[in-house]
Amino acid sequence: MAVQLLEEKLTCAICLGLYQDPVTLPCGHNFCGACIRDWWDRCGKACPECREPFPDGAELRRNVALSGVLEVVHAGPARDPGPDPGPGPAARCPRHGRPMELFCRTEGRCVCSVCTVHECRLHERALLDAERLKRQAQLRASLEVTQQQATQAEGQLLELQKQRSQIQNSACILASWVSGKFSSLLQALEMQHTAALRSIDVAKTRVLAQVRDEEQRLRGHLEAVARHGCRIQELLEQVDEQTFLQESQLLQPPGPLGPLTPLQWDEDQQLGDLKQLLSRLCGLLLEEGGHPGAPAKPVDLGPMEAPGPLAPVPSTVCPLRRKLWQNYRNLTFDPISANRHFYLSRQDQQVKHCRQSQGPGRPGRFELWQVQCTQSFQAGHHYWEEMVLLCHSGWCTVAQSWLTAASSS
């Protein structure tokens, strides 16, 4: 109590802070040297308390005794600010005992009017109500962002679950397709049958593990967003101004969600070697004159890596098609007639549509997306088969050069 009373006696009536370089006027009142000079520049040479004029030509002199008392006060032991004042408008400054009515944005704490004049003179300050309204608007905006992230995460989670279901169905279809193909072949292919199923199962296990990792990441983000939203709700319900402002500035929203990792699942990669193997086997069976019900003969499949351009697998349930396939011919494309957006490969037996032009136009090229074959047939009945692959990741169309013709006479 005595210390507080002493500080009130040593307080400048202009700045409401402890004297800094105190001076005494002829009337006996004391002020800070800088405060009284600033006052005189604005209001004239008179005492701010009693209005007694200051004599012309007189000089302000430092109050030596008062300066010594201030040095003792400043050099004394640091005072314990005591417990944190209670909530509500009655909270007072622990240093000056005055109501804390302002918030110092520079230091991030609540201050009283004396603090703003003496310690926070050049700091950015705001009223408590105004600062709370500003912080509430920021928190509501942050809550809206987190809710949008939660909606985005839920949508991505549904998309991921949909992709998982599609992958599982695709893997099941691939396994059934492989089983159906190998069930019509000889016992010599049982080892390749098992190996193909194992490869698909390993690929499915790997990509489903990736799906589970993505699900765990999205669920973790959803939990972080939910915790952040609950914390914001708790802060918005906080009635203590000081606690709200101090804790709100420590609140950090969760990081950005980020896009889904592309799933490494490629059906064509799983079936590429198998199609080549079956095509080569089909050619060998046709050369041997095989037919349904004939005794099986061991065949040398050769290396699976380089089977060369082969015909597609014929259906074993269509006798007419099997008869026609005895006279099949592989067709090749004519590069001179190909549209300038077509790219020919595999000895001109595969054509791919490209976004960029393959060269300038020249006589003989089709203006439409067409290409001519080099072979021709003078008589008889013919048909052809074509396998088209659509690339979903880019704009391209591939016509496999299994453009095969069979004739019957």
Side-chain angles (χ1 to χ4, degrees), residues 80-396:
D80 186 5
D84 190 27
R92 293 184 173 273
C93 177
R95 299 192 59 182
H96 305 102
R98 296 178 179 273
M100 291 190 292
E101 302 172 347
L102 300 172
F103 181 78
C104 179
R105 293 176 176 171
T106 304
E107 297 185 2
R109 63 185 182 91
C110 299
V111 296
C112 66
S113 58
V114 178
C115 296
T116 60
V117 175
H118 181 62
E119 300 174 1
C120 306
R121 181 181 301 176
L122 302 179
H123 294 175
E124 184 181 0
R125 303 179 299 271
L127 293 175
L128 292 181
D129 294 341
E131 184 66 16
R132 174 163 185 144
L133 291 176
K134 178 182 176 182
R135 295 291 180 88
Q136 286 179 334
Q138 293 175 352
L139 290 178
R140 289 191 178 95
S142 178
L143 180 60
E144 183 178 356
V145 171
T146 55
Q147 290 175 349
Q148 292 176 356
Q149 290 182 355
T151 303
Q152 180 184 2
E154 291 174 354
Q156 291 184 355
L157 183 60
L158 293 176
E159 179 65 22
L160 189 64
Q161 293 174 349
K162 179 181 178 181
Q163 292 180 8
R164 179 182 63 180
S165 177
Q166 292 176 350
I167 290 172
Q168 289 176 339
N169 294 336
S170 177
C172 182
I173 294 174
L174 289 177
S176 300
W177 186 88
V178 170
S179 298
K181 289 297 182 182
F182 276 93
S183 63
S184 62
L185 299 179
L186 303 175
Q187 186 178 1
L189 291 178
E190 189 62 28
M191 183 181 300
Q192 284 78 0
H193 180 197
T194 306
L197 290 179
R198 184 184 303 111
S199 174
I200 291 177
D201 188 68
V202 170
K204 180 187 73 172
T205 303
R206 181 174 62 253
V207 73
L208 290 182
Q210 184 182 3
V211 170
R212 288 192 295 271
D213 293 341
E214 285 296 295
E215 281 186 340
Q216 184 177 3
R217 181 177 71 87
L218 292 175
R219 294 185 188 279
H221 188 81
L222 283 174
E223 293 176 0
V225 168
R227 289 194 300 268
H228 185 70
C230 293
R231 184 56 184 157
I232 289 178
Q233 294 293 346
E234 292 175 2
L235 285 178
L236 292 176
E237 296 173 2
Q238 178 62 251
V239 296
D240 182 11
E241 307 285 350
Q242 185 176 5
T243 302
F244 171 83
L245 295 174
Q246 289 178 352
E247 293 185 2
S248 63
Q249 62 188 359
L250 300 178
L251 187 63
Q252 295 293 334
L257 178 60
L260 284 175
T261 303
L263 301 179
Q264 303 298 325
W265 178 258
D266 188 358
E267 294 182 0
D268 294 333
Q269 183 179 0
Q270 297 295 324
L271 298 179
D273 295 339
L274 181 60
K275 287 181 177 180
Q276 294 177 357
L277 177 64
L278 294 179
S279 298
R280 185 175 180 85
L281 179 62
C282 174
L284 293 174
L285 292 176
L286 289 176
E287 291 176 2
E288 295 292 335
H291 56 83
K297 294 183 179 181
V299 293
D300 182 13
L301 299 180
M304 297 175 58
E305 294 76 20
L310 299 172
V313 180
S315 172
T316 59
V317 298
C318 181
L320 177 60
R321 189 168 185 266
R322 185 167 54 254
K323 179 180 178 181
L324 293 175
W325 265 84
Q326 296 178 3
N327 301 313
Y328 81 91
R329 290 181 59 187
N330 285 334
L331 301 182
T332 56
F333 297 116
D334 180 16
I336 299 178
S337 65
N339 180 274
R340 58 192 180 95
H341 288 280
F342 281 173
Y343 172 75
L344 273 61
S345 60
R346 293 192 179 181
Q347 300 179 353
D348 296 335
Q349 292 186 349
Q350 176 174 298
V351 60
K352 177 180 179 181
H353 181 272
C354 302
R355 185 183 297 271
Q356 296 182 352
S357 174
Q358 300 301 310
R362 61 172 179 261
R365 280 188 181 272
F366 278 110
E367 292 296 330
L368 300 177
W369 290 350
Q370 296 177 344
V371 61
Q372 206 169 25
C373 288
T374 58
Q375 293 91 342
S376 62
F377 301 92
Q378 301 298 330
H381 302 284
H382 308 85
Y383 84 102
W384 61 90
E385 296 180 356
E386 178 182 3
M387 185 180 70
V388 179
L389 303 178
L390 297 179
C391 179
H392 298 286
S393 59
W395 182 44
C396 67

